[in-house]
């Protein structure tokens, strides 16, 4: 299990061989939330994009509509198997 989640918790994103949008510990509520991505899409390839931000620029923490509300704990029980 540890090996499976380490990539998501490694700071620095893909530049540091971590996840494209790493998870952050929210000390206010005591949970993990995803930083989120602002995607830049390749011209002529709307299905291919890359994350154009890195921590501390986390759109999911500022906008409830980013990443399906992940930064606001929307659907955590469903997406992360808490139930």
């Amino acid at each position: 299990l540890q090996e499976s989640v380490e990539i998501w918790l490694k700071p620095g994103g893909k530049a540091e061989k971590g996840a494209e949008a790493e998870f952050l510990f929210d000390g206010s509520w005591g949970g993990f939330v995803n930083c989120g991505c602002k995607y830049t899409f390749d011209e002529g390839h709307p299905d291919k994009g890359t994350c154009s931000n890195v921590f501390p620029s986390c759109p999911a923490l500022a906008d409830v509509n980013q990443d399906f509300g992940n930064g606001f704990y929307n659907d955590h029980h469903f997406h992360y198997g808490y139930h």
Side-chain angles (χ1 to χ4, degrees), residues 3-67:
E3 289 179 21
S4 298
V5 299
E6 279 181 341
I7 190 170
W8 297 104
L9 302 175
K10 186 172 184 162
K14 286 179 88 174
E16 299 297 325
K17 297 185 180 178
E20 189 169 41
E22 68 259 28
F23 276 70
L24 312 166
F25 180 73
D26 174 17
S28 299
W29 292 93
F32 286 95
V33 292
N34 189 274
C35 182
C37 277
K38 288 186 180 178
Y39 282 97
T40 301
F41 292 96
D42 299 337
E43 190 174 322
H45 300 280
D47 59 330
K48 296 180 181 176
T50 55
C51 192
S52 60
N53 63 287
V54 293
F55 180 79
S57 173
C58 295
L61 303 181
D63 182 356
V64 71
N65 296 310
Q66 287 281 334
D67 290 344

